[in-house]
Amino acid sequence: MGDLLLEQLTWGNALIFFLSAVVLLMIVLGFVTYAIYFERKVIGWMQLRIGPNRVGPFGLLQTVADILKLLLKEDTIPRKADRALFILAPVLAYVPAFAVLAVIPYTDSLYFADLNVGLLYYVALSGITTLAIVLGGWASNNKYALLGGMRSAAQMISYEVPLVISIVGVVMLSGSLNLRTIVAEQGNWFWEWNFLPQIIGFVVFVIAAVSELNRTPFDLPEAESELVAGYHVEYSGFRFAFFMLTEYVYVYAIAALTTILFLGGWHAPAPFLDFVPGLLWFMLKFACIVFFLFWLRATFPRVRVDQLMGFGWKVLLPLAILNVFVTAAYIEFFIKR
Amino acid sequence: MFNIEVTGEFVAFFVFAVIIISGAVLMVSFTKVVHMVISLAAVFLGLAGMFVLLEAEFVAFVQVLIYAGAVSILMVFGIMMTKHQAMQDEPKRPVHEALSAIAALCLFGILFYAIRITELSVPEQFQAGEDNTMEIGKLLYTGYVIPFELVSVLLTVAFIGAIVIAKKEAD
């Protein structure tokens, strides 16, 4: 992929780029379908239930059936809603979610874009989705949707700050914003990966990431017991499906980003395990993080809105800043290139 | 007449230019405030695209992060608190509008003429740094460290000031 990116752009190359984007889209859709199935199964088992088991063998086709149902549903737009924005919001939410996947490197040679500010690209584009969620909540002209949208804006802005600052430590250690360089800078033994030297940053990052994903215990924007469903109350059919899809594509993106930043990307945990291809190690780490997210959802209660804000600004932000200082001091005294 | 080679860069430039100009025009002509903010966000995104074309990726994505993301959300957030059907109705002033149109056309004419007659010196081949983000960082912390620190102090002062004002109103 790397050599292809540097070649002159011809129609043939453009076709290859287009096709690889389509393939990635298919992979992501497949991931989302089975992530939802897996999530329901895992949470079912953790809560001593069985989970979906009726449609297809072991319920494997349950999500497919659900998606088909959503696509065939009548598409309703409330009469008093702001029609244009109501239609625009799901699109505006999904496009950045898919666009951020462009900079994720899967192995040393398998990546889609080699951007020297890859990390910044990810953070910047994911902010656009927040705008879309707020707009969707506002355009629905429904008080629950508006409240959900407001909460979402407040939460995502508050947690984006510690999220970005917690990454700064990693950037300082590897001296680059390029995600491929960040992986390459991490060592071959698992204790040389960033999650141990950057343990504070790692913890802050994971907490802030769960919050950015609007997942339990931080799923206040769609707290069903308080807000019916939050910002997407008025959405149905494929527009609702788009919001759900956005959420799960961000699960994919965050899991991949955590793997790259803190868990050594495609590196094997020990040099003698190198015979296993890097892509498999990447997928294994990726799957562990996805499982961790589902595990959190099954076992944690939802936090209150004032606790959420207080925690973000008074605990996570100082910790993230402290991490930057500690890393700077460490580099100054021990590494100093 | 147009001795211009149609390249991908050229096409991209025109796409971004159309986004910026139509966003700006719509921003002025929309009546609902939220719609205005969205077209403003489109202008910011188009500008970011222009920065990418100029090989200034860092500035481009900071533009998306700060303007298209944070500033737009802040504005929508503020507007959402106000009346939902807020429309901006202005009285019609035909003479005023005609005069503004003539003035705008004149300004465009002058600028266009000035740009056309100016002999632009051919710049020596611009060397974008291998890793321009790194170069920006180095410059900020060597040559421009005092302005940089001053700006950060200014931002902190503004931040604390905002908190103080909000506190005063809360009491």
Side-chain angles (χ1 to χ4, degrees):
Chain A
M1 202 77 203
D3 303 331
L4 209 59
L5 287 173
L6 297 175
E7 274 177 32
Q8 191 77 27
L9 186 65
T10 58
W11 286 107
N13 279 355
L15 189 69
I16 294 175
F17 291 153
F18 178 74
L19 286 182
S20 44
V22 170
V23 169
L24 179 66
L25 182 65
M26 289 302 143
I27 292 174
V28 169
L29 289 182
F31 164 80
V32 171
T33 311
Y34 283 96
I36 294 173
Y37 168 77
F38 184 61
E39 174 167 28
R40 293 175 65 179
K41 273 288 189 196
V42 166
I43 293 179
W45 288 329
M46 284 186 184
Q47 296 170 344
L48 297 181
R49 294 181 286 115
I50 298 173
N53 67 343
R54 290 288 142 185
V55 189
F58 310 106
L60 276 172
L61 296 177
Q62 179 67 52
T63 325
V64 180
D66 287 344
I67 293 171
L68 267 182
K69 185 203 78 175
L70 274 181
L71 293 184
L72 295 176
K73 248 180 153 177
E74 186 193 350
D75 172 38
T76 53
I77 299 179
R79 191 182 303 149
K80 294 248 172 125
D82 188 320
R83 208 182 153 83
L85 285 186
F86 191 84
I87 293 171
L88 180 70
V91 181
L92 197 61
Y94 179 68
V95 168
F98 187 61
V100 296
L101 300 183
V103 288
I104 304 279
Y106 299 95
T107 67
D108 204 13
S109 54
L110 181 65
Y111 54 90
F112 288 89
D114 189 19
L115 195 61
N116 68 352
V117 285
L119 198 53
L120 198 64
Y121 170 89
Y122 183 101
V123 174
L125 281 197
S126 61
I128 309 282
T129 298
T130 315
L131 184 64
I133 287 177
V134 177
L135 280 181
W138 182 84
S140 306
N141 203 359
N142 172 313
K143 60 179 173 245
Y144 295 115
L146 185 65
L147 276 174
M150 307 281 300
R151 279 189 180 187
S152 162
Q155 177 180 337
M156 287 176 115
I157 291 175
S158 321
Y159 278 76
E160 202 162 292
V161 180
L163 185 81
V164 174
I165 297 180
S166 68
I167 304 173
V168 171
V170 174
V171 175
M172 286 160 78
L173 279 182
S174 47
S176 174
L177 284 167
N178 186 330
L179 290 173
R180 282 183 68 223
T181 319
I182 289 175
V183 177
E185 288 284 316
Q186 299 180 54
N188 286 324
W189 290 94
F190 67 89
W191 59 80
E192 291 172 338
W193 297 346
N194 281 329
F195 77 100
L196 278 180
Q198 284 291 315
I199 186 75
I200 306 175
F202 180 56
V203 171
V204 172
F205 178 83
V206 168
I207 296 174
V210 173
S211 177
E212 283 286 297
L213 291 172
N214 288 338
R215 293 182 67 85
T216 322
F218 303 109
D219 59 343
L220 288 144
E222 42 194 299
E224 67 277 359
S225 48
E226 307 160 28
L227 292 177
V228 192
Y231 61 89
H232 51 56
V233 178
E234 295 289 356
Y235 282 90
S236 73
F238 67 92
R239 294 186 212 285
F240 173 75
F242 256 80
F243 274 124
M244 290 310 279
L245 187 62
T246 307
E247 211 172 302
Y248 279 90
V249 172
Y250 270 120
V251 169
Y252 178 101
I254 280 283
L257 193 67
T258 317
T259 309
I260 288 161
L261 291 178
F262 292 101
L263 299 180
W266 56 82
H267 288 310
F272 57 83
L273 287 171
D274 261 349
F275 61 90
V276 182
L279 190 60
L280 276 183
W281 286 117
F282 186 94
M283 281 160 68
L284 194 66
K285 293 166 186 171
F286 174 87
C288 286
I289 295 162
V290 173
F291 173 76
F292 177 72
L293 290 173
F294 297 162
W295 185 13
L296 280 185
R297 174 157 175 205
T299 47
F300 269 82
R302 182 179 299 134
V303 298
R304 255 187 2 239
V305 72
D306 56 321
Q307 293 169 334
L308 176 90
M309 286 310 192
F311 185 63
W313 288 108
K314 292 179 194 158
V315 180
L316 288 187
L317 185 60
L319 268 181
I321 293 176
L322 178 77
N323 180 47
V324 173
F325 275 105
V326 171
T327 313
Y330 174 77
I331 291 178
E332 181 67 28
F333 292 125
F334 294 100
I335 303 178
K336 189 84 189 221
R337 278 169 284 196
Chain B
M1 185 176 156
F2 296 111
N3 48 353
I4 297 166
E5 208 182 332
V6 179
T7 59
E9 202 179 324
F10 185 73
V11 173
F13 175 83
F14 264 84
V15 170
F16 290 132
V18 166
I19 291 176
I20 292 175
I21 294 172
S22 54
V25 170
L26 287 176
M27 153 84 200
V28 179
S29 60
F30 273 142
T31 49
K32 271 192 186 173
V33 193
V34 173
H35 293 186
M36 291 179 190
V37 175
I38 298 310
S39 35
L40 197 62
V43 175
F44 290 145
L45 285 179
L47 267 180
M50 286 293 188
F51 281 127
V52 171
L53 281 186
L54 294 171
E55 297 187 26
E57 295 91 357
F58 183 77
V59 189
F61 293 113
V62 168
Q63 166 89 14
V64 175
L65 182 66
I66 308 290
Y67 285 93
V71 171
S72 308
I73 291 171
L74 201 67
M75 284 197 273
V76 172
F77 204 74
I79 294 162
M80 276 181 7
M81 305 286 194
T82 59
K83 217 166 63 196
H84 191 98
Q85 298 299 341
M87 291 283 201
Q88 194 189 43
D89 279 325
E90 278 190 15
K92 291 264 182 280
R93 290 176 296 179
V95 181
H96 184 97
E97 278 173 17
L99 282 179
S100 331
I102 292 168
L105 276 177
C106 288
L107 182 66
F108 174 76
I110 293 168
L111 283 178
F112 191 73
Y113 178 69
I115 291 171
R116 291 303 292 187
I117 61 162
T118 310
E119 287 279 328
L120 290 175
S121 59
V122 179
E124 44 190 292
Q125 197 56 43
F126 169 66
Q127 293 293 325
E130 254 316 272
D131 189 351
N132 52 29
T133 315
M134 180 81 97
E135 297 303 318
I136 292 174
K138 279 180 183 162
L139 266 185
L140 270 185
Y141 278 95
T142 52
Y144 297 93
V145 67
I146 292 173
F148 180 74
E149 290 297 327
L150 280 181
V151 168
S152 68
V153 169
L154 182 72
L155 275 178
T156 317
V157 169
F159 188 56
I160 295 171
I163 294 174
V164 168
I165 292 171
K167 269 269 177 213
K168 218 180 253 171
E169 277 179 11
D171 292 337

